[in-house]
């Protein structure tokens, strides 16, 4: 009896795209260094193998299984092999989006608040060059791009996860600058608590209350039965743009 195929939820889209992005980023970094150190991508590949049982994504799951088998036997012995995995991970990432468009998204969602033409254009239509460079430096530009494309594809919950992940990244940068301490494994709530103490007798950034609101949104959609609708995801997109623009000046 054939095994029953599964379909992706909005969180699944977010989850698997992040796994592919992690492999892509790790292998790209390792293959550009003067001294090669093999990256550890086994955890990501193990999770991606489960796509073998997801309708439309079987090829990506089989690809992950083949690479995991190779790495368990040989590792990533050279920069050339690592570069090959990087190039294939880029191809699989793009393939994931193609499958979403072909099999999961029949019609682009009509945006309720945002300008679709502006959203489809490059990020230069949204931020100035300095802000874009800053986002690149903190590793957040990719998440922002994923978020806007997810909005266009009618995947508001997936977009929300990307936006909130980016917001937490920015909050951690603020914490490091203001406290002078390593973030380590502090939770979003713990960071906010410590910043509250830090700003007790100082002028606090105006958007700190917005970040608190976003944490509440994050906590709510982390529940498996909760989703963002299109309008709320677009509102969230605007909130995060405000956070980016306000805190960039604080962090420079």
């Amino acid at each position: 009896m054939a095994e029953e195929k599964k379909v992706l939820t909005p969180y699944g889209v977010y989850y698997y795209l992040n796994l592919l992005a992690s492999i892509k980023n790790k292998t790209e970094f390792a293959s550009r260094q003067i001294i090669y150190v093999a990256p550890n991508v086994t955890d990501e590949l193990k999770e991606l193998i489960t796509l073998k049982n997801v309708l439309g994504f079987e090829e990506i799951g089989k690809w992950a299984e083949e690479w995991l088998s190779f790495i368990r036997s040989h590792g990533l012995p050279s920069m050339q092999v690592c570069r090959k995995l990087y190039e294939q991970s880029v191809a699989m990432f793009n393939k994931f989006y193609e499958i979403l468009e072909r099999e999961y998204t029949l019609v682009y969602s009509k945006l309720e608040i945002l300008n679709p033409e502006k959203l489809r254009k490059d990020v230069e239509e949204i931020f100035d060059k300095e802000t874009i460079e800053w986002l690149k430096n903190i590793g957040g530009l990719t998440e922002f791009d994923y978020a806007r494309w997810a909005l266009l594809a009618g995947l508001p919950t997936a977009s929300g996860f990307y936006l909130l992940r980016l917001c937490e990244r920015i909050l951690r940068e603020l914490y490091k600058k203001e406290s002078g301490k390593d973030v380590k494994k502090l939770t979003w709530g713990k960071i906010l608590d410590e910043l509250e103490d830090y700003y007790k007798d100082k002028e606090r950034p105006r958007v700190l209350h917005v970040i608190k609101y976003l944490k509440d949104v994050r906590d709510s959609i982390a529940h498996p039965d909760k989703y963002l609708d299109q309008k709320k995801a677009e509102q969230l997109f605007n909130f995060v743009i405000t956070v980016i623009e306000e805190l960039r000046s604080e962090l420079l």
Side-chain angles (χ1 to χ4, degrees):
M1 183 176 177
E3 187 172 355
E4 185 178 352
K5 292 292 183 180
K6 301 174 183 177
V7 295
L8 287 184
T9 63
Y11 179 77
V13 173
Y14 164 82
Y15 181 71
Y16 287 112
L17 278 174
N18 267 310
L19 291 172
L20 286 166
S22 178
I23 294 174
K24 181 164 64 77
N25 294 338
K26 286 181 179 181
T27 51
E28 180 182 25
F29 179 81
S31 63
R32 293 182 184 278
Q33 301 307 298
I34 296 175
I35 300 175
Y36 172 67
V37 178
N40 183 357
V41 295
T42 55
D43 288 343
E44 290 92 334
L45 290 169
K46 284 178 187 176
E47 292 298 310
L48 285 167
I49 288 173
T50 59
L51 285 174
K52 287 172 58 181
N53 298 316
V54 177
L55 188 65
F57 296 89
E58 298 91 343
E59 183 181 342
I60 297 176
K62 292 176 182 176
W63 167 82
E65 186 175 48
E66 291 171 0
W67 267 106
L68 183 61
S69 177
F70 176 86
I71 290 172
R72 282 174 169 168
S73 299
H74 309 286
L76 287 172
S78 67
M79 190 175 290
Q80 289 76 16
V81 174
C82 183
R83 186 71 185 175
K84 181 178 179 181
L85 176 55
Y86 163 69
E87 291 170 351
Q88 290 187 9
S89 68
V90 172
M92 289 298 165
F93 188 93
N94 292 336
K95 187 176 188 66
F96 195 104
Y97 264 115
E98 289 171 7
I99 297 167
L100 282 178
E101 282 200 335
R102 186 175 67 247
E103 300 186 25
Y104 278 69
T105 309
L106 300 179
V107 180
Y108 278 116
S109 175
K110 180 180 179 181
L111 299 186
E112 298 186 31
I113 296 173
L114 302 175
N115 182 332
E117 294 308 315
K118 185 175 180 180
L119 206 58
R120 286 190 181 96
K121 292 180 180 178
D122 289 339
V123 73
E124 283 84 357
E125 293 289 318
I126 300 172
F127 298 118
D128 58 33
K129 290 182 180 179
E130 290 78 11
T131 302
I132 293 170
E133 191 62 32
W134 176 70
L135 283 171
K136 286 181 182 177
N137 290 338
I138 67 169
L141 186 60
T142 300
E143 286 162 338
F144 186 81
D145 276 336
Y146 293 167
R148 65 191 181 96
W149 283 111
L151 278 179
L152 286 168
L155 298 166
T157 302
S159 178
F161 278 116
Y162 285 121
L163 290 167
L164 292 166
R165 177 177 165 132
L166 171 56
C167 196
E168 184 168 0
R169 186 187 298 274
I170 295 170
L171 180 63
R172 287 171 175 267
E173 293 294 320
L174 178 65
Y175 175 85
K176 285 191 290 184
K177 180 186 177 186
E178 300 289 43
S179 71
K181 296 187 291 187
D182 187 6
V183 177
K184 296 182 180 178
K185 295 183 179 180
L186 291 180
T187 63
W188 190 331
K190 182 64 175 174
I191 293 172
L192 282 172
D193 288 343
E194 293 200 15
L195 284 174
E196 279 293 327
D197 290 338
Y198 177 82
Y199 290 120
K200 189 178 296 182
D201 301 315
K202 299 180 180 181
E203 183 179 355
R204 67 185 61 204
R206 291 178 298 173
V207 296
L208 204 59
H209 68 283
V210 177
I211 295 176
K212 287 183 180 180
Y213 164 74
L214 295 179
K215 177 187 177 296
D216 291 340
V217 174
R218 194 277 304 268
D219 291 345
S220 68
I221 65 171
H223 192 281
D225 296 327
K226 300 294 183 180
Y227 302 93
L228 279 178
D229 62 29
Q230 187 71 22
K231 184 175 181 179
K232 288 182 179 177
E234 291 178 38
Q235 289 171 335
L236 179 61
F237 189 84
N238 280 331
F239 275 131
V240 174
I241 287 176
T242 299
V243 170
I244 290 169
E245 292 176 337
E246 290 283 341
L247 287 187
R248 182 182 75 87
S249 59
E250 296 282 340
L251 291 166
L252 291 180

